Amino acid sequence: DSLCQLVPDLTDDFLTSIDQPLRVQVGSDDRPFIICDYNRDGDSYRSPTTNTFAPPIADEEDVLLPPKLRRLEISANEIFDHYRGLYFEGGVSSVYLWETDEDGGFAAGVFIHKDGEGGRRGLEAGTWDSIHVFEVVHNGRAAKATYKLTTTVLLYLKVCFCPRYVHVCFRTHSYVQGRSKAESRWLHDPASGAVASSLSIAGGSAP
C-alpha cells in the first residue's frame, strides 16, 4: 500500500505483476470475501456471493460475468467453501472467474486465506495465503482443451526465536489436456470435482 501511494501511476502494473498478501473484506450480505487484483476494478472489489462491487462502480453490468460463467463461479465457490472448512478448519476462500482472449476460453482464480494460531511449536503468529490460477484454452476444431494451473503459496510466520516475520513463497505449474469433448466438459464442470481435485493436490499441506 505504501508503494502504491508513493507511485500511484504504477499501481496497476505493480498489483498485476507481484503477488500480494490476500486481504479480506465483508460484503453487503455480511459474508467475508477475499479482495485481490482478480476481483478489482479501480478501488472497488466484487463479492463472489452478491456479484456486486463495493464501493459501487459506474456501468457495473458491463464488467460482470456472462450468465454461464457466473453459474460456474457460484458452483466453484460452494465447492471450495466446503473444501476450505474441511481441510483448513477455518479461514476464508473465494473463487473468481473471468473471460480470456481465447475463443471460448476462461480462467479461474481460487484464493484461500487463513490466520494461524499461536502457541504451536514455537509459532507466535502466521498467515497462509494460497493463490491458484487455472486457465482453460480450447485447442481449435480438435475439441481439446489445455488446462494450465499455477499455484502460489505465501506464508508469513512469526516464531519465538525470530523477532521479525518470516516470508516464504513457492510456486508450481502443472498442465492437463482434455482429449475429447466429453472429457473437456467434465474437466471444467465444478460439479464433477475435477477442478477441486487438481487445485487441492497443488495446494500442498494444510497450515
Side-chain angles (χ1 to χ4, degrees), residues 22 88 110-113 128-132 151-154 203:
L22 300 178
F88 288 83
V110 180
F111 308 90
I112 298 175
H113 170 88
W128 167 285
D129 287 334
S130 54
I131 303 167
H132 311 278
T151 290
T152 302
V153 175
L154 304 173

Side-chain angles (χ1 to χ4, degrees), residues 123-145:
L123 178 66
E124 293 185 7
T127 299
W128 167 285
D129 287 334
S130 54
I131 303 167
H132 311 278
V133 178
F134 199 98
E135 183 179 0
V136 180
V137 179
H138 291 282
N139 298 334
R141 296 182 179 180
K144 295 182 179 180

Side-chain angles (χ1 to χ4, degrees), residues 46 65 69-70 72-73 76 95-99 106-109:
R46 183 173 65 89
L65 291 172
L69 278 187
R70 175 55 185 162
L72 198 63
E73 185 180 72
V95 181
Y96 302 107
L97 272 65
W98 61 93
E99 295 178 289
F106 68 93

Side-chain angles (χ1 to χ4, degrees), residues 10-205:
L10 298 179
T11 295
D12 287 340
D13 292 337
F14 175 71
L15 292 177
T16 55
S17 61
I18 300 177
D19 289 314
Q20 300 296 303
L22 300 178
R23 295 182 294 163
V24 177
Q25 182 170 303
V26 178
S28 58
D29 57 351
D30 294 327
R31 296 184 60 178
F33 66 97
I34 289 173
I35 62 174
C36 58
D37 192 57
Y38 292 91
N39 67 322
R40 181 177 70 92
D41 189 294
D43 294 325
S44 299
Y45 296 90
R46 183 173 65 89
S47 163
T49 53
T50 65
N51 199 33
T52 58
F53 283 88
I57 63 173
D59 300 322
E60 183 175 278
E61 293 184 357
D62 295 338
V63 296
L64 293 179
L65 291 172
K68 184 177 180 180
L69 278 187
R70 175 55 185 162
R71 290 193 296 270
L72 198 63
E73 185 180 72
I74 292 172
S75 297
N77 272 281
E78 292 173 352
I79 287 174
F80 280 98
D81 185 59
H82 183 65
Y83 161 76
R84 172 202 53 76
L86 293 175
Y87 191 67
F88 288 83
E89 299 179 348
V92 178
S93 65
S94 294
V95 181
Y96 302 107
L97 272 65
W98 61 93
E99 295 178 289
T100 63
D101 294 334
E102 299 289 339
D103 183 25
F106 68 93
V110 180
F111 308 90
I112 298 175
H113 170 88
K114 182 182 179 182
D115 293 320
E117 300 178 359
R120 300 173 60 183
R121 299 181 180 179
L123 178 66
E124 293 185 7
T127 299
W128 167 285
D129 287 334
S130 54
I131 303 167
H132 311 278
V133 178
F134 199 98
E135 183 179 0
V136 180
V137 179
H138 291 282
N139 298 334
R141 296 182 179 180
K144 295 182 179 180
T146 299
Y147 300 79
K148 177 184 177 182
L149 171 64
T150 301
T151 290
T152 302
V153 175
L154 304 173
L155 297 177
Y156 299 87
L157 306 174
K158 187 175 183 181
V159 292
C160 59
F161 53 82
C162 181
R164 297 180 179 271
Y165 274 91
V166 177
H167 175 204
V168 180
C169 174
F170 64 87
R171 178 173 296 166
T172 63
H173 301 275
S174 59
Y175 295 84
V176 178
Q177 186 165 357
R179 298 180 181 176
S180 67
K181 288 185 177 180
E183 184 178 0
S184 296
R185 286 195 299 268
W186 178 79
L187 277 169
H188 60 251
D189 178 1
S192 72
V195 174
S197 298
S198 299
L199 294 176
S200 64
I201 291 172
S205 302

